[in-house]
């Protein structure tokens, strides 16, 4: 039936010959999508997608804090979120799955680097091209953002853009686009080097009108161009905010491999059943490796290293940390030649400079600026084929990338550590310099223009820079820097790094710095990376001490340092067991220690005799006036976690709860994931602006709030009036509001 409908439509539009064009496009798309690469081969070669494709875990909705945490931190939380999520197959992302949902026109798919977004796009496109799925769609039109970058300075109409990127569609006319059901796929929004201006741009309705690429994209997404066309956008989380929520009908998230899919992957790779069992056992024993194996590409890296290590040297120590693993991966298995070292350091410079800029795709001019001759065959052979790949695209130009973002971060760390060992003060000082050194009063004297005189000073200053970053983009880079300070990893890298700075007494200074670091002006979420740096240096002392603390029956008698609290916060929120109650007063620690414990609020609950309630009680006397906006951001994120366990929250007597803090909490109450039922804000000196924010939350049809305690707040008539506007809303279900005299 579809065939005859298309036949008549094609005859009406183009005299009967466009059916052949459609079939030709399907053949071309099938040829483009049926092969995939797994790390080493260039595009166009590799393995059949249908042979290796494992159904990825994709969910409707998205995690919290997608643009404020490093992607490894997001993976850590993703690893324990699968219970209450709604899975969805990539082939079904445009299908209405419930009566409450409207027509799905624009879908935004999030996922960390390497988790399988592009594989999902290829699978969707291949199934359509082979006539297996979504045959109601007339044309599937992938437009990779890495390819669109190549014409970012050119002017095109939407019609000419399709002609350029899909030559098989040269006979397609403007009137055809307006009557067909089209799907445009913009894969890799995070890889784009153009900005999308949704607030101020040229409005275009005609598919033949010429404009810039970004203007065409904005008009397509907003529905000015081809309002009936379907749009699918994939992106890493940090770039997804470029698309306004009002333009998106469905958000999905690619979560990667489940635990069973990880094991399936390693069993499928090896014909040696005993070897695959040993690999799976080793990965399970290392939390960091097990979490990273959510990412298919990381599974490939891990398999290569462990297969080689287990078969080549039965007595050798297996990689335990990420730095261990990547060090083995970089020099495996032969000794690095001088040419290899020179090439790796040039790639490291490329990795570092673009890591700071946020770029993960590179072009010929980027390589040339780092001294890489793109015409040399050596760039694409030898050691480089394992870490760096060239993708041939249109216009006879090439796009380059590392096999995974974490490989780029590791090579960037190798380059920076090498520059330090060579006393390259120009590069080191440019990296460490701060435009606003007074932002961190507790770190006075660290951010001058003097070169780092010792390894411990250099690593401390690098850590400070990473902690200053709002989105944590340097977190894994700094973990690698600390791991590379160990002589064992330097030895694995075969002379690529100078080992003279890694004396035992220097390493001990680095460890002491990490354990004693004061981070009272930094988000407690970000402070957890200090603990991860310790783990990359293979210092298990803090981890072991916290394990002993958790087993202790007299917890209040044991004094916890700040680093202990960061470790405890990490372990509590990563635990499979949900904490019954988090009362920070029960911990014998400093005020800063209690701040660092705040992230554990995401994973606590308390049981009621009649009904199981999940909630966290933050004691009303703990915080005083010590919390900053970054701390309230963590509390708000706990309210919007997926799933959120929080049902009751007491923040009374917090005079540091500013208007910005109340706004954060109120916005969190309007989040679809929030299930907060009781909020106590007794004696918090709430202003009229705070009352406005709370009123907005009360009016929201997403709020589950039943009890709001505002006792002992001098609200004045204006504040009460604002609150009443929220209480009078039909959406407000508050059963009790304790208010102060006004």
């Amino acid at each position: 039936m579809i065939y005859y409908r298309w036949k008549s439509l094609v005859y009406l539009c183009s005299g009967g010959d466009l059916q052949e064009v459609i079939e030709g496009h399907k053949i071309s798309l099938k040829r483009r999508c049926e092969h995939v690469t797994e790390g080493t081969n260039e595009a166009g070669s590799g393995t059949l997608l249908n042979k290796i494709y494992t159904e990825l875990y994709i969910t409707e909705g998205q995690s919290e804090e997608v643009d404020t945490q490093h992607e490894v931190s997001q993976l850590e939380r993703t690893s324990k979120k699968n219970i209450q999520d709604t899975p969805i197959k990539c082939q079904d992302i445009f299908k209405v799955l419930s009566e409450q949902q409207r027509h799905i026109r624009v879908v935004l798919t999030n996922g960390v680097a390497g988790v399988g977004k592009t594989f999902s796009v290829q699978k969707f496109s291949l199934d359509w091209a082979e006539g297996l799925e979504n045959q109601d769609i007339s044309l599937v039109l992938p437009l990779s953002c890495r390819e669109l970058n190549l014409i970012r300075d050119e002017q095109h109409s939407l019609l000419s853009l399709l002609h350029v990127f899909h030559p098989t569609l040269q006979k397609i006319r403007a009137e055809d686009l307006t009557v067909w059901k089209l799907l445009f796929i913009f894969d890799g929004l995070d890889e784009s080097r153009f900005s999308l201006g949704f607030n101020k741009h040229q409005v275009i309705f005609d598919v033949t009108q010429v404009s810039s690429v970004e203007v065409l994209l904005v008009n397509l997404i907003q529905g000015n161009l081809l309002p009936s066309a379907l749009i699918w956008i994939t992106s890493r989380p940090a770039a997804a905010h470029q698309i306004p929520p009002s333009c998106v009908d469905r958000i999905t998230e690619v979560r990667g491999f489940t635990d069973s899919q990880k094991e399936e992957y390693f069993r499928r790779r090896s014909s040696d059943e005993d070897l695959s069992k040993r690999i799976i056992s080793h990965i399970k024993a290392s939390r960091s490796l097990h979490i990273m194996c959510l990412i298919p590409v990381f599974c490939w890296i891990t398999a290569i290293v462990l297969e080689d290590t287990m078969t080549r040297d039965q007595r050798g120590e297996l990689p335990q940390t990420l730095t261990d693993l990547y060090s083995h991966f970089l020099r495996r298995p032969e000794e690095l030649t001088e040419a290899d070292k020179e090439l790796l350091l040039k790639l490291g410079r490329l990795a570092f400079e673009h890591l700071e800029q946020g770029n993960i795709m590179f072009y010929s001019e980027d390589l040339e600026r780092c001294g890489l001759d793109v015409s040399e065959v050596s760039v694409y052979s030898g050691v480089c084929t394992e870490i760096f790949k060239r993708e041939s695209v249109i216009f006879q130009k090439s796009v380059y990338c590392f096999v995974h973002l974490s490989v780029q971060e590791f090579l960037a760390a190798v380059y920076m550590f090498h520059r330090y060992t060579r006393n390259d003060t120009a590069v080191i000082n440019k990296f460490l310099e701060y435009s606003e050194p007074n932002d961190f009063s507790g770190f006075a004297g660290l951010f001058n223009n003097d070169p780092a005189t010792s390894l411990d000073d250099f690593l401390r200053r690098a850590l400070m820079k990473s902690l200053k970053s709002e989105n944590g983009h340097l977190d894994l880079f700094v973990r690698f820097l600390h791991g590379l300070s160990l002589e064992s990893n330097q030895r694995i890298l075969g002379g690529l790094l100078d080992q003279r700075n890694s004396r035992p007494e220097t390493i001990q200074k680095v460890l002491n710095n990490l354990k004693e670091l004061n981070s009272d002006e930094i988000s407690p979420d970000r402070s957890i990376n200090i603990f991860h740096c310790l783990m990359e240096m293979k210092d298990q002392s803090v981890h072991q001490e916290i394990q002993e603390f958790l087993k202790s029956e007299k917890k209040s008698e044991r004094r916890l340092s700040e680093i202990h609290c960061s470790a405890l916060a990490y372990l509590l929120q990563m635990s499979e067991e949900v904490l019954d109650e988090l009362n920070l007063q029960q911990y014998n620690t400093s005020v800063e220690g209690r701040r660092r414990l705040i992230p554990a609020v995401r994973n606590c609950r308390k049981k009621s005799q009649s009904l199981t309630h999940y909630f966290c009680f933050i004691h009303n006397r703990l915080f005083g006036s010590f919390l900053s906006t970054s701390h309230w951001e963590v509390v708000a994120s706990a309210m919007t976690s997926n799933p959120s366990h929080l049902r009751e929250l007491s923040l009374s007597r917090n005079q540091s709860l500013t208007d910005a803090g109340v706004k954060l909490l109120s916005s969190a109450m309007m989040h679809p994931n929030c299930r907060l039922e009781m909020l106590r804000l007794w004696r918090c000196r709430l202003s009229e602006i705070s009352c406005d924010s709370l009123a907005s939350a009360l009016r929201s049809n997403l709020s589950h709030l039943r009890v709001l305690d505002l006792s002992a707040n001098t609200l004045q008539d204006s504040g009460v009036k604002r609150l009443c506007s929220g209480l009078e809303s039909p959406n407000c279900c508050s059963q009790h509001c304790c208010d102060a005299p006004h």
Side-chain angles (χ1 to χ4, degrees):
M1 188 171 216
I2 292 175
Y3 174 83
Y4 287 111
R5 178 172 63 82
W6 277 7
K7 257 311 217 194
S8 60
L9 179 61
V10 168
Y11 180 82
L12 175 66
C13 294
S14 308
D17 64 342
L18 281 187
Q19 182 63 43
E20 296 181 5
V21 174
I22 294 173
E23 294 304 323
H25 177 67
K26 284 192 169 186
I27 293 171
S28 173
L29 195 58
K30 178 183 177 182
R31 187 179 301 117
R32 178 176 174 177
C33 296
E34 64 183 349
H35 287 92
V36 294
T37 61
E38 201 177 24
T40 55
N41 297 314
E42 293 186 8
S45 60
T47 309
L48 286 172
L49 173 62
N50 284 332
K51 181 179 179 181
I52 68 167
Y53 183 79
T54 301
E55 192 72 43
L56 293 160
Y57 193 78
I58 305 174
T59 62
E60 187 163 14
Q62 68 179 32
S63 302
E64 81 287 359
E65 300 182 291
V66 293
D67 62 344
T68 61
Q69 294 293 304
H70 189 279
E71 292 186 350
V72 172
S73 299
Q74 295 174 45
L75 280 176
E76 290 166 349
R77 294 179 191 170
T78 295
S79 67
K80 60 188 294 292
K81 286 181 184 172
N82 294 343
I83 299 175
Q84 300 185 19
D85 294 326
T86 303
I88 181 172
K89 292 184 177 180
C90 70
Q91 294 90 345
D92 297 335
I93 61 169
F94 286 99
K95 295 178 181 177
V96 177
L97 302 179
S98 68
E99 295 180 357
Q100 288 76 32
Q101 289 177 331
R102 57 178 182 175
H103 170 66
I104 307 296
R105 191 183 76 86
V106 178
V107 174
L108 175 61
T109 295
N110 286 305
V112 300
V115 79
K117 301 183 295 297
T118 298
F119 267 30
S120 297
V121 165
Q122 287 187 245
K123 179 61 174 173
F124 184 103
S125 303
L126 182 61
D127 285 350
W128 175 81
E130 292 183 335
L132 301 177
E133 298 281 353
N134 293 289
Q135 295 304 291
D136 59 314
I137 297 175
S138 306
L139 282 176
V140 172
L141 303 164
L143 293 169
S144 168
C145 289
R146 66 183 64 169
E147 296 179 353
L148 289 172
N149 286 340
L150 296 170
I151 59 167
R152 63 184 181 274
D153 297 325
E154 298 180 13
Q155 298 281 303
H156 281 278
S157 69
L158 182 61
L159 183 62
S160 69
L161 197 68
L162 292 182
H163 290 167
V164 167
F165 282 87
H166 295 283
T168 56
L169 302 180
Q170 290 290 336
K171 294 183 180 180
I172 296 291
R173 303 181 306 180
E175 53 266 36
D176 303 325
L177 298 181
T178 60
V179 295
W180 283 354
K181 183 176 181 179
L182 309 177
L183 167 59
F184 291 87
I185 304 178
F186 299 108
D187 186 29
L189 179 66
D190 52 285
E191 298 169 353
S192 71
R193 294 196 179 182
F194 42 81
S195 58
L196 301 179
F198 281 87
N199 296 325
K200 187 178 181 180
H201 64 84
Q202 178 186 9
V203 177
I204 296 177
F205 300 99
D206 188 347
V207 297
T208 63
Q209 186 173 345
V210 174
S211 186
S212 63
V213 174
E214 52 261 42
V215 169
L216 293 177
L217 263 63
V218 168
N219 279 277
L220 262 175
I221 294 169
Q222 288 185 326
N224 301 324
L225 270 176
L226 301 178
S228 62
L230 304 178
I231 310 293
W232 186 9
I233 305 162
T234 72
S235 175
R236 286 170 55 207
H241 69 277
Q242 295 182 61
I243 311 298
S246 59
C247 293
V248 179
D249 300 303
R250 170 175 284 162
I251 295 177
T252 62
E253 182 178 9
V254 181
R255 297 285 183 85
F257 284 156
T258 62
D259 288 350
S260 60
Q261 289 167 344
K262 295 174 193 176
E263 296 183 20
E264 177 188 347
Y265 176 89
F266 291 110
R267 283 194 296 266
R268 189 177 68 239
R269 270 192 61 93
S270 177
S271 57
D272 187 334
E273 184 178 350
D274 180 64
L275 179 61
S276 61
K277 285 182 178 179
R278 291 170 60 202
I279 290 174
I280 292 169
S281 177
H282 179 71
I283 291 169
K284 285 182 176 180
S286 171
R287 175 176 284 276
S288 59
L289 299 186
H290 191 253
I291 288 173
M292 288 292 287
C293 279
L294 285 163
I295 302 174
V297 172
F298 188 82
C299 288
W300 170 75
I301 293 172
T302 304
I304 283 179
V305 172
L306 292 182
E307 285 171 1
D308 179 67
T309 307
M310 289 179 174
T311 55
R312 181 167 50 88
D313 186 358
Q314 298 289 338
R315 297 171 298 175
E317 182 180 351
L318 295 176
Q320 301 289 333
T321 67
L322 295 181
T323 312
D324 271 353
L325 188 79
Y326 281 96
S327 296
H328 280 90
F329 181 62
L330 193 62
R331 56 80 40 100
R332 176 195 57 83
E334 300 88 1
E335 291 294 327
L336 296 174
T337 66
E338 290 303 315
D340 287 337
K341 294 175 186 177
E342 181 181 356
L343 191 56
L344 285 172
L345 291 173
K346 289 179 180 179
L347 285 173
R349 177 186 170 188
L350 178 77
F352 171 74
E353 292 181 356
H354 287 269
L355 180 65
E356 289 219 295
Q357 298 171 21
N359 297 330
I360 60 174
M361 305 302 302
F362 319 106
Y363 300 89
S364 298
E365 57 268 27
D366 300 321
L367 273 66
E368 291 168 356
R369 277 194 292 268
C370 293
L372 289 162
D373 186 348
V374 297
S375 65
E376 292 182 6
V377 178
S378 61
V379 175
Y380 320 115
S381 62
V383 67
C384 289
T385 60
E386 299 291 346
I387 61 173
F388 196 63
K389 61 181 180 179
R390 176 181 60 179
E391 299 189 4
S392 298
V393 291
I394 58 174
F395 312 126
Q396 302 301 310
K397 296 183 180 180
S398 295
V399 178
Y400 307 86
C401 63
F402 293 96
V403 293
H404 187 252
L405 174 60
S406 58
V407 174
Q408 180 178 345
E409 292 167 304
F410 178 73
L411 262 184
V414 169
Y415 167 76
M416 183 52 60
F417 203 94
H418 179 268
R419 291 293 87 200
Y420 168 75
T421 62
R422 293 297 186 270
N423 296 316
D424 190 338
T425 56
V427 172
I428 297 300
N429 286 336
K430 183 179 179 181
F431 166 58
L432 294 177
E433 70 181 356
Y434 273 66
S435 58
E436 299 180 15
N438 292 329
D439 283 357
F440 285 75
S441 57
F443 307 137
L446 289 181
F447 308 123
N448 49 48
N449 290 324
D450 295 331
T453 56
S454 62
L455 179 62
D456 56 296
D457 181 51
F458 166 65
L459 291 176
R460 178 175 57 172
R461 293 168 68 182
L463 177 60
M464 290 305 101
K465 177 162 184 175
S466 74
L467 293 174
K468 183 179 172 68
S469 166
E470 291 184 1
N471 61 7
H473 72 292
L474 296 175
D475 281 1
L476 190 56
F477 164 80
V478 166
R479 289 192 209 178
F480 284 138
L481 271 183
H482 282 78
L484 290 171
S485 69
L486 297 184
E487 187 272 337
S488 58
N489 286 323
Q490 295 169 5
R491 186 174 61 252
I492 294 171
L493 289 172
L496 189 60
L497 300 178
D498 193 335
Q499 301 177 31
R500 61 186 173 183
N501 294 285
S502 299
R503 294 185 293 271
E505 59 271 22
T506 303
I507 296 301
Q508 191 57 52
K509 284 183 180 179
V510 175
L511 296 174
N512 291 342
N513 286 344
L514 291 171
K515 294 175 182 179
E516 298 169 4
L517 184 65
N518 177 13
S519 61
D520 58 355
E521 298 181 50
I522 299 170
S523 164
D525 268 329
R526 306 301 315 290
S527 297
I528 289 175
N529 203 49
I530 303 170
F531 170 63
H532 287 305
C533 289
L534 275 176
M535 300 298 286
E536 286 300 316
M537 295 187 70
K538 300 182 181 178
D539 186 304
Q540 297 285 334
S541 60
V542 172
H543 184 268
Q544 292 169 356
E545 288 161 4
I546 288 301
Q547 294 286 9
E548 294 172 2
F549 170 81
L550 291 172
K551 297 175 183 177
S552 172
E553 295 181 358
K554 298 181 179 180
K555 293 182 174 60
S556 61
E557 297 180 4
R558 303 191 63 167
R559 178 75 177 178
L560 296 180
S561 67
E562 282 82 1
I563 190 62
H564 283 133
C565 292
S566 286
L568 180 58
Y570 174 74
L571 293 176
L572 288 178
Q573 67 174 324
M574 291 303 299
S575 173
E576 295 299 327
E577 296 183 9
V578 182
L579 192 67
D580 282 340
E581 181 178 4
L582 179 65
N583 185 342
L584 301 187
Q585 194 176 36
Q586 74 182 26
Y587 297 99
N588 183 5
T589 186
S590 63
V591 172
E592 167 59 17
R594 293 193 177 100
R595 290 193 189 102
R596 291 203 190 184
L597 283 168
I598 293 175
V601 71
R602 295 186 178 92
N603 196 34
C604 53
R605 70 183 179 186
K606 189 168 184 176
K607 294 182 179 179
S608 167
Q609 291 183 352
S610 58
L611 181 68
T612 299
H613 290 278
Y614 297 83
F615 76 93
C616 167
F617 179 78
I618 298 183
H619 198 275
N620 60 2
R621 289 174 293 176
L622 291 180
F623 298 132
S625 59
F626 296 106
L627 294 189
S628 65
T629 300
S630 64
H631 299 101
W632 295 120
E633 287 173 350
V634 178
V635 177
S637 79
M639 297 165 64
T640 60
S641 296
N642 184 15
S644 175
H645 301 299
L646 221 57
R647 292 297 181 271
E648 180 178 337
L649 187 61
S650 177
L651 298 172
S652 299
R653 295 186 68 178
N654 271 289
Q655 298 181 18
S656 67
L657 187 54
T658 61
D659 292 336
V662 176
K663 185 176 181 180
L664 281 168
L665 297 176
S666 300
S667 297
M669 283 190 281
M670 294 185 280
H671 193 282
N673 292 340
C674 183
R675 295 294 182 271
L676 192 71
E677 297 174 359
M678 182 182 295
L679 176 62
R680 300 192 184 278
L681 298 173
W682 179 74
R683 192 171 288 177
C684 288
R685 294 186 179 180
L686 300 180
S687 70
E688 293 180 11
I689 295 175
S690 292
C691 291
D692 264 337
S693 298
L694 288 171
S696 297
L698 293 172
R699 286 192 294 268
S700 172
N701 61 354
L702 294 175
S703 175
H704 293 261
L705 202 65
R706 297 294 182 272
V707 176
L708 177 62
D709 185 351
L710 300 176
S711 300
N713 281 284
T714 308
L715 300 178
Q716 305 299 328
D717 291 341
S718 56
V720 173
K721 184 176 180 180
R722 285 168 166 76
L723 285 169
C724 287
S725 68
L727 292 169
E728 291 169 354
S729 170
N731 293 323
C732 181
C733 301
S734 179
Q735 298 174 350
H736 186 72
C737 179
C738 302
D739 203 351
H742 52 84

